[in-house]
Each structure stands twice: as C-alpha cells, then as structure tokens.
C-alpha cells in the first residue's frame, strides 16, 4: 500500500499502522464464536446440578429444553439490540443507551468484580479437573494440582488474546469443531443404546413427589449457565463484518444447533447412567465414557478439556471489550480504552481480568460460583431487554435492521425477572451477597463518575501510573471511530 501525503506534506500513516480494532469476524468465526463459548464446561458439569435441583430425569430434560428456548429468545432480543446500537460492549452498551449511565456502570462494576472472574474460574477449574483426573482414577485428584493446571489454562488463553485477534479467532474456530466432535461422540452411543431398548432410566421420569419448587430456579440457573455465552458476539459488534446480516444469522444458527445437541447429550447420559450414578459423578462425561466408550474413554477427558479451553477463550475475547467501551465512555480509567499499537488488541482490558480470575480459582468452590454469579448476570440481562422495550416505545423511528417479535421480548424479560426473584427465596445467602456486591457500585459511581471527587494528589499519582503503564504496554487510544 502506498504512503499518501496530506496538504501539509506530512506522511499519513498506512492503513495497517492506524490504531483501531479491525472488522475481521465473518459469519463462520461468528457462529464458531457463539457455539464455542456456549459449549464449554457447562454441558459436562451442569447436568448434575440440573438433576439435583429438579428432582427427576423427565423434569431435568424439560429444564434443558426450556433453557434452550429461553436462551434463544434472549439471543434474538440481543440480535435486535446488536443491530440497533452499533457499539461493542454488550450488556453495558445497551443499558447505557436505553436506561442511562448508572445501570450501565453497575453492570460494568459487577461484571469485573465477580461475574467474569467467577465464570472464568468455573470453566478453568473444569478444564483442570478433566486434564488431571484421568491420571489419578479411581482416586480423587489433588485439588492443588487441579488449580495449578487451571491457572496454566487461563494463562495460555490470556497470552493468545493479547497476541492477536486473528489468532484468538482461529483458535476459537478450531476448538469449536473439536468440541462438537466430542458431543457427537457422546450422542451416538447413547442414541444406539436407546434404539436397542435401553429405556429403564426414563421410566417414571416425572416423579412429582421429588419436585421441590424452591430449588427449581437453581436447576434453571445450572441449565442457563450451560447455555451462557449466546450474548458474547454482542460484545464485539465493532469487529463483525456486515453486522446487520451476520449477527442475527450467527445467533439463530448457533442457538438452534446448541439446543438440539444439549438435549441429545442429556438423553445419552440418562440412557447409559442412572440418576444416582450421575449425581455422585464430578466429571459426568468421563463416567459416561467409561461406561459407553471403553476404547475411546481416554479421549473424552482431552476433548472436554479442549472444550472448556474454547469457552474460556471466547470469554476472554469478548468481555474485555465491555471494559474497553466502558473506559471509552468515561466509566473506567482511560488506560483500559487503549489498544496495542502493533497487535491491535485491547491489551490492558485483557490483562486486567487475569489476576482476578487466578484469585478466584484459588479461593472458589465450583457450584457456589454458579449461583453466586447468576443472580447479577440474569438481573442485568432482564434489565437490558426491558430497556429495549422502553426504547422501542420512546423512539419508534429509531432504525432497527432486525426486530424481534414483541411477544418473545416480553416473555423473555418476564421469565428472567421471575427466575431472579425466585432465586432470592431459593438461595438467599449467595443471591443476597451477589445483590449487595452489585449495590457497592452505587457510591463508587457517584464518587468517581457522576461527580468526580477524587483528591488532587490521588489524581496526580493515578495519572503518572497510567502514563507509565501506557509506555510499558505500548498502548494508545483508537485513531479511527469504529461505530
């Protein structure tokens, strides 16, 4: 490419040297991005949590199907939001545009305080468990070793996402094909056994006396966790090629595929394992492989570990863009809105997550993490879709290239608020802690954003540290508007 000169005779930068996020995500990477982020550790771990809280095989399968439908409804709402507001940032951007700065700031605050670290640590602990456990069977794997391997997995993903957007995208496509192969490997022997008449675990599938309504929301939380990730493409809208076409198309294709696969995988589990066996297993897919795939049983833990790595990669690719946009809007320190001048990755935002995730890996417990993070996540998703409905009413002429049917948007919003409200009753301790931690962002917002009241001396120290970090990390602000 030739170097052009401007009117002053100064050389302009070449296109490849201009600092900004590139539109490099086409339809296949977009579909891979959603499927690869959704299909992570959840389908290999959450069946235990769904069965434990639903109480029966039939109801647990119904929960999986309903969670898929609900996730599809939510994904369609976010397809409308993603094509109506062309900024990256996902939940944060939509709350900012529809309900104002305080809800948006609280979403940003709670995401990086504990939702993202807890979700990432959950996935990475699953990765560590599936890597380590095969070497120690039938004994339990040492927890310290599981956590060490989990931290190594996170380190690898962070390095890839700091190095190159293209490398992270290609890694995601590759890992998505691997994890779909893993699901097919589970589904086929289950379907064959079912066709041969192995249906004893499905008889009396709906045991009414074992249903406890107070624990049912926790079953949905576990199921919805396994579907979590349908909204991540909205975090990177500014990097999607032809977003008005590719975002709705990628969301619909990926969510239909995932829902069908998830229900079939659970049918396969219950075909080969009794509910009691599933409940005592910490690694359901490994137990299944030992029962149904003796010749390939050693391969399943590797495939599941790679699946977890793909989900981890998708999360670290998407979520830092929320922090990046929040900093660009003035809701977070400016250093986090900067991009590496050569690699064009949001380096500070990616690195910010790393120590938080490592800390939670060391201190967290896997099932508490789901309930702890789910309240705030689903509360703010419900707020975002409520904001979409309010925005539709207030600005009916705003361009909406993709418009979800009103019934779907209302149903999704109401169900989300219902699940969130019921969880306060089902698990008041974890839900209450989550709620309190969310509200701690209110005074922070009024001190640091609404009325900037940081002492002058602290500002000077902060500015000095920011400049030194900028030099050390070789980062700069975007030079091109990408939205």
């Amino acid at each position: 490419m030739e170097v052009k000169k401007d009117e002053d005779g100064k050389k302009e930068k070449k296109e490849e040297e201009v600092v900004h996020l590139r539109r490099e995500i086409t339809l296949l990477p977009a579909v891979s991005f959603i499927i690869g982020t959704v299909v992570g550790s959840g389908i290999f771990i959450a069946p235990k949590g769904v069965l434990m809280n639903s109480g029966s095989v039939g109801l647990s399968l119904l929960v999986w199907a309903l969670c898929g439908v609900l996730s599809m409804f939510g994904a369609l709402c976010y397809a409308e939001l993603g094509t109506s507001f062309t900024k990256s940032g996902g939940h944060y951007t939509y709350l900012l545009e529809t309900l104002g700065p305080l809800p948006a700031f609280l979403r940003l605050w709670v995401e990086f305080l504990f939702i993202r670290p807890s979700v990432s640590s959950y996935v990475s602990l699953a990765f560590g468990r599936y890597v380590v456990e095969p070497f120690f069977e039938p004994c339990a794997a040492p927890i310290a070793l599981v956590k060490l391997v989990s931290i190594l997995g996170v380190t690898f993903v962070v390095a890839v996402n700091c190095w190159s957007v293209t490398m992270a995208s290609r890694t995601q496509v590759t890992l998505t094909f691997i994890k779909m192969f893993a699901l097919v490997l589970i589904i086929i022997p289950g379907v064959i056994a079912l066709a041969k008449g192995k249906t004893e675990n499905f008889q009396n599938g709906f045991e009414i006396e074992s249903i406890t309504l107070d624990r049912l929301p926790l079953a949905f939380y576990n199921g919805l966790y396994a579907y979590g990730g349908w909204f991540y493409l909205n975090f990177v809208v500014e990097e999607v090629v032809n977003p008005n076409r590719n975002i709705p198309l990628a969301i619909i294709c990926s969510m239909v595929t995932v829902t069908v696969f998830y229900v079939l995988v659970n049918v396969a589990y219950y075909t080969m394992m009794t509910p009691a066996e599933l409940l005592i297993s910490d690694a359901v897919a490994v137990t299944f492989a030992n029962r149904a795939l003796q010749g390939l049983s050693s391969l399943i833990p590797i495939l599941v570990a790679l699946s977890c790595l793909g989900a981890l990669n998708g999360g670290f690719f998407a979520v830092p863009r929320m922090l990046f946009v929040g900093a660009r809007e003035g809701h977070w320190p400016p250093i986090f809105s900067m991009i590496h001048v050569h690699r064009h990755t949001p380096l500070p935002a990616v690195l910010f997550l790393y120590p938080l995730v490592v800390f939670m890996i060391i201190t967290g417990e896997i099932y508490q993490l789901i309930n702890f993070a789910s309240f705030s996540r689903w509360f703010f998703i419900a707020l975002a879709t409520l904001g979409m409905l309010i925005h539709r009413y207030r600005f009916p002429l705003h361009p909406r290239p993709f418009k979800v049917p009103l019934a779907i948007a209302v149903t999704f919003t109401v169900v989300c608020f219902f699940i969130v409200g019921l969880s306060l009753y089902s698990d008041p301790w974890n839900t209450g802690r989550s709620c309190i931690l969310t509200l701690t962002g209110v005074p922070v917002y009024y001190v640091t954003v609404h009325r900037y009241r940081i002492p002058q001396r602290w500002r000077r120290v902060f500015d000095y540290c920011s400049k030194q970090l900028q030099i050390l990390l070789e980062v700069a602000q975007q030079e091109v508007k990408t939205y």
Side-chain angles (χ1 to χ4, degrees), residues 185-480:
L185 210 58
I186 291 171
I187 290 168
I188 288 174
V191 170
I192 291 171
L194 196 63
K196 291 179 178 177
K198 192 172 171 57
T199 59
E200 56 268 21
N201 294 334
F202 296 99
Q203 292 166 8
N204 301 320
F206 289 93
E207 298 171 6
I208 305 300
E209 65 276 3
S210 64
I211 297 173
T212 51
L213 290 178
D214 63 324
R215 299 193 65 81
L216 207 52
L218 301 183
F220 275 94
Y221 268 173
N222 279 272
L224 289 170
Y225 173 78
Y227 284 98
W230 47 263
F231 42 74
Y232 280 145
L233 189 63
N234 294 72
F235 287 55
V236 295
V237 170
E238 292 169 36
E239 296 165 73
V240 176
V241 177
N242 191 5
N244 289 347
R245 171 185 175 270
N246 286 339
I247 288 176
L249 206 54
I251 282 172
I252 292 167
C253 291
S254 55
M255 290 313 299
V256 169
T257 303
V258 169
T259 303
V260 171
F261 270 69
Y262 271 17
V263 172
L264 289 175
V265 165
N266 277 278
V267 168
Y269 284 155
Y270 290 124
T271 303
M272 305 302 293
M273 301 164 64
T274 65
E277 287 171 334
L278 193 142
L279 287 173
I280 62 171
S281 172
D282 284 327
V284 178
V286 173
T287 307
F288 175 88
N290 290 334
R291 182 73 51 82
L293 299 163
Q294 279 91 3
L296 297 171
S297 58
S298 59
L299 183 63
I300 288 292
I302 298 169
L303 294 175
V304 175
L306 290 173
S307 177
C308 295
L309 206 61
L312 205 57
N313 182 66
F316 268 94
F317 185 82
V319 175
R321 270 66 174 176
M322 184 196 285
L323 191 66
F324 171 83
V325 174
R328 194 172 66 188
E329 297 287 342
H331 285 179
W332 213 256
I335 184 72
F336 295 106
S337 65
M338 296 185 185
I339 300 166
H340 195 278
V341 293
H342 302 302
R343 308 207 169 277
H344 307 295
T345 58
L347 189 70
V350 176
L351 289 176
F352 178 73
L353 273 175
Y354 181 63
L356 298 176
V357 174
V358 170
F359 173 76
M360 204 159 278
I361 287 172
I362 294 169
T363 59
E365 196 281 320
I366 204 158
Y367 283 104
Q368 286 181 349
L369 290 175
I370 299 180
N371 299 338
F372 186 56
S374 289
F375 167 78
S376 289
R377 170 183 265 187
W378 286 99
F379 176 67
F380 281 108
I381 287 172
L383 275 185
T385 55
L386 177 64
M388 181 189 77
L389 293 169
I390 292 170
H391 192 270
R392 265 196 199 183
Y393 176 75
R394 291 179 61 202
F395 305 100
L397 300 179
H398 184 89
R400 291 178 174 83
F402 177 86
K403 195 169 182 179
V404 70
L406 183 64
I408 288 179
V410 171
T411 301
F412 178 77
T413 306
V414 169
V415 170
C416 279
F417 276 121
F418 177 73
I419 291 174
V420 165
L422 211 53
S423 71
L424 281 165
Y425 173 72
S426 301
D427 190 5
W429 171 240
N430 278 317
T431 307
R433 281 196 303 164
S434 180
C435 187
I436 290 166
L437 273 173
T438 302
L439 293 175
T440 59
V442 175
V444 176
Y445 170 78
Y446 280 103
V447 170
T448 62
V449 178
H450 187 66
R451 294 184 180 180
Y452 195 68
R453 293 184 175 180
I454 304 295
Q456 191 66 37
R457 185 182 298 175
W458 289 15
R459 293 186 205 177
R460 285 197 296 268
V461 171
F462 184 75
D463 289 342
Y464 174 78
C465 292
S466 293
K467 287 177 183 176
Q468 296 306 310
L469 271 174
Q470 188 177 348
I471 294 166
L472 177 67
L473 298 175
E474 295 184 309
V475 292
Q477 294 287 357
Q478 280 197 119
E479 296 176 330
V480 174

